[in-house]
Amino acid sequence: MLKTSDFFYELPKELIAQDPLEDRSSSRLMVIHRISKKIEHRHFSDVVNYLRPGDCLVLNNTKVIPARLFGTREDTGAAVELLLLKRRENDIWETLVKPGKKARTGARLVFGDGQLKGEIIEVLEDGNRLIQFHYEGIFEEILDQLGQMPLPPYITHKLQDKNRYQTVYAKYEGSAAAPTAGLHFTQELLDEIKSRGIEIANVTLHVGLGTFRPVKVEDVTDHLMHSEYYRITKEEAEKINHAKEQGGRIICVGTTSCRTIESAADERGNLLAGEGDTQIFIYPGYTFKCMDVLITNFHLPESTLLMLVSALATREQMLDAYKLAVQEKYRFFSFGDAMIILDD
């Protein structure tokens, strides 16, 4: 049995990065050669030296919305905190409400100076609430004005610049968390990658908060994976398939890009264009169909993301690498350093 506790490691609190670096690409990069077991320590801007002409770099172009709202209850004036998780239809959103106990059906909430109002219309099985919003004007503009970036719970510092929890290529709004491996790329670095004959393809997966949900079961296979929406256009699927046919490697930036293409690939590794919801859960024993190389950050102990990277390299190899990262004082999690797991 593969146990959740098999993916535990000790992490000193001071290694959790609280702020993004001034220069995105100056983070450190651990280079893991999974076949030869060699490990190198570089800077992220050196990543270009590990990519080859004909390879295809896959980015997740989702955009984080300022999904955290602070408001009051219309009847009592009591403070409430709201997190927008998923737009269901028009102005109805699935949300997380704190405090949840009194957030019953029919409760009305007010945000800003009444620019945005919401009514709880349903309490879902998992405790999330469906809220119908009322406002005048454009919802996205109001949200941009009133909302805050939904930083993960382990980041306690206030974010000075909203754009730093956003990739430079973010395009389609819908995420409650950033695809953090992409935060290391600058436009200059992407331009250099292109100039070296490396194809860049974009897919979209809207990251949900389930990405931070702890695994609470002992047996990993009993964990119920959260669902996330993805989309791959015909043009981008063709770029990835062409690179693969020509012998290039498919290099995913982040676990979200990886989960997207692995969800949409057939058994031969051919990527199918389309959209839908994925609940794919990748852990050791999984055979990758499309991805060859992964660029990713350092993930939480016992998390589904650490399980995913342990499926590409071995669990022992990843835990050894994480132990070394702690010794070398790498910065961990969303604003932390990165690694590239190579296929050699």
Side-chain angles (χ1 to χ4, degrees), residues 16-29 42-45 155 159-161 163-166 183-186 297 329-338:
I16 300 173
Q18 291 295 328
D19 303 288
L21 296 179
E22 200 168 316
D23 171 16
R24 289 174 184 261
S25 63
S26 64
S27 332
R28 292 166 77 189
L29 178 71
R42 297 281 183 260
H43 284 98
F44 194 82
S45 52
I155 293 177
L159 185 63
Q160 300 306 317
D161 176 5
N163 288 326
R164 290 315 306 273
Y165 193 56
Q166 205 79 271
L183 296 177
H184 303 283
F185 286 90
T186 60
N297 279 18
K329 294 195 165 26
Y330 272 71
R331 300 163 75 247
F332 278 67
F333 307 160
S334 298
F335 288 140
D337 296 316

Side-chain angles (χ1 to χ4, degrees), residues 20-185:
L21 296 179
E22 200 168 316
D23 171 16
R24 289 174 184 261
S25 63
S26 64
S27 332
R28 292 166 77 189
L29 178 71
M30 181 183 276
V31 182
I32 297 176
H33 300 263
R34 62 186 175 89
I35 308 299
S36 69
K37 307 277 195 288
K38 192 172 91 166
I39 289 181
E40 302 173 68
H41 304 287
R42 297 281 183 260
H43 284 98
F44 194 82
S45 52
D46 298 324
V47 77
V48 294
N49 300 321
Y50 297 94
L51 310 181
R52 304 194 285 255
D55 286 346
C56 182
L57 191 72
V58 184
L59 309 176
N60 178 9
N61 61 10
T62 187
K63 195 171 190 178
V64 186
I65 57 173
R68 180 165 273 133
L69 288 161
F70 294 92
T72 55
R73 285 178 61 109
E74 196 174 66
D75 52 355
T76 63
V80 287
E81 182 184 334
L82 200 69
L83 203 54
L84 302 178
L85 299 177
K86 190 186 282 186
R87 189 196 286 265
R88 287 293 191 90
E89 53 183 292
N90 301 328
D91 295 318
I92 296 173
W93 282 77
E94 185 177 335
T95 68
L96 196 63
V97 183
K98 288 185 191 173
K101 263 187 184 163
K102 293 181 181 175
R104 300 188 186 102
T105 305
R108 294 169 184 271
L109 312 173
V110 182
F111 304 94
D113 298 322
Q115 292 144 284
L116 185 64
K117 292 183 177 183
E119 182 182 343
I120 298 173
I121 58 171
E122 191 182 334
V123 178
L124 303 174
E125 267 181 41
D126 57 6
N128 292 346
R129 269 69 173 167
L130 287 189
I131 292 188
Q132 168 92 55
F133 285 105
H134 304 279
Y135 54 89
E136 282 182 18
I138 298 166
F139 183 78
E140 285 72 19
E141 285 180 6
I142 294 168
L143 194 60
D144 201 45
Q145 195 183 336
L146 302 179
Q148 292 185 15
M149 280 300 188
L151 294 179
Y154 48 75
I155 293 177
T156 55
H157 290 192
K158 189 168 166 49
L159 185 63
Q160 300 306 317
D161 176 5
K162 271 184 188 178
N163 288 326
R164 290 315 306 273
Y165 193 56
Q166 205 79 271
T167 61
V168 296
Y169 48 80
K171 191 172 182 183
Y172 299 108
E173 293 190 326
S175 275
T180 54
L183 296 177
H184 303 283
F185 286 90

Side-chain angles (χ1 to χ4, degrees), residues 4 7-11 16 152-155 180 211-215 296-310 319 322 332-334:
T4 299
F7 297 89
F8 180 78
Y9 67 91
E10 295 283 352
L11 180 68
I16 300 173
Y154 48 75
I155 293 177
T180 54
T211 194
F212 302 116
R213 192 176 290 155
V215 179
T296 187
N297 279 18
F298 290 88
H299 305 295
L300 277 76
E302 301 186 335
S303 63
T304 58
L305 304 181
L306 181 52
M307 292 169 192
L308 184 154
V309 294
S310 300
L319 290 176
Y322 271 56
F332 278 67
F333 307 160
S334 298

Side-chain angles (χ1 to χ4, degrees), residues 52-56 241-250 292 343:
R52 304 194 285 255
D55 286 346
C56 182
N241 289 334
H242 179 71
K244 209 162 183 65
E245 283 160 17
Q246 299 301 309
R249 297 171 304 169
I250 307 306
D292 301 299
D343 58 340

